[in-house]
Amino acid sequence: MLEAFRRFEELSSVIKDKITIEEEIKTREGMKELIGTYQHFKYLLSELESCKKGYEKKRKSVQGVLYKSIRRMNSEIKKNPAKEVLQKNMTLSQKVCKLKSLGFGFYNRSLFSN
């Protein structure tokens, strides 16, 4: 688009009387608006990239804490197996209640797959 505008400027300087003043003003104003809109777009795109990086950093941080807790709970269950928690006939909510009573704040559903 910018290249086309440059060509327009070049031709309009050589051939003065072939386009009206209104057309030239309209074209130049349109290009000015287009350039401003493009600059705003580039700013928003950079903000989006910044937000994406922040999100990824926070996601990895939370994921690390979550997996560390899950590993700790898995090793605790292996060291001190609570047979009543791992019984196949217990419902998931019963297992969660039992884990909470043992001091675990949250759990990994895969621990209880039957």
Side-chain angles (χ1 to χ4, degrees), residues 60-112:
K60 287 178 182 179
S61 171
V62 169
Q63 187 178 21
V65 170
L66 178 66
Y67 288 160
K68 181 180 178 182
S69 298
I70 289 171
R71 285 191 304 271
R72 192 175 67 235
M73 286 188 295
N74 278 333
S75 67
E76 183 66 30
I77 287 175
K78 287 177 185 174
K79 282 193 279 183
N80 184 13
K83 293 184 180 185
E84 56 271 8
V85 173
L86 301 176
Q87 288 176 353
K88 293 189 182 267
N89 60 353
M90 289 180 77
T91 65
L92 182 59
S93 61
Q94 289 171 328
K95 292 175 185 178
V96 170
C97 288
K98 187 61 181 174
L99 272 180
K100 284 183 179 179
S101 72
L102 293 173
F104 295 112
F106 57 93
Y107 61 94
N108 180 359
R109 287 182 183 258
S110 65
L111 290 173
F112 309 114

Side-chain angles (χ1 to χ4, degrees), residues 39-53:
Q39 293 299 325
H40 186 66
F41 165 76
K42 290 200 48 134
Y43 168 76
L44 291 175
L45 189 60
S46 70
E47 284 294 308
L48 180 62
E49 285 294 321
S50 174
C51 289
K52 179 184 169 193
K53 287 177 184 176

Side-chain angles (χ1 to χ4, degrees), residues 1 5 8-9 21-37:
M1 191 72 179
F5 180 68
F8 165 80
E9 282 186 320
I21 294 175
E22 292 85 23
E23 286 176 318
E24 186 171 343
I25 291 172
K26 197 178 215 181
T27 302
R28 291 182 187 282
E29 285 177 354
M31 278 307 293
K32 187 177 179 181
E33 285 180 32
L34 191 59
I35 289 169
T37 303

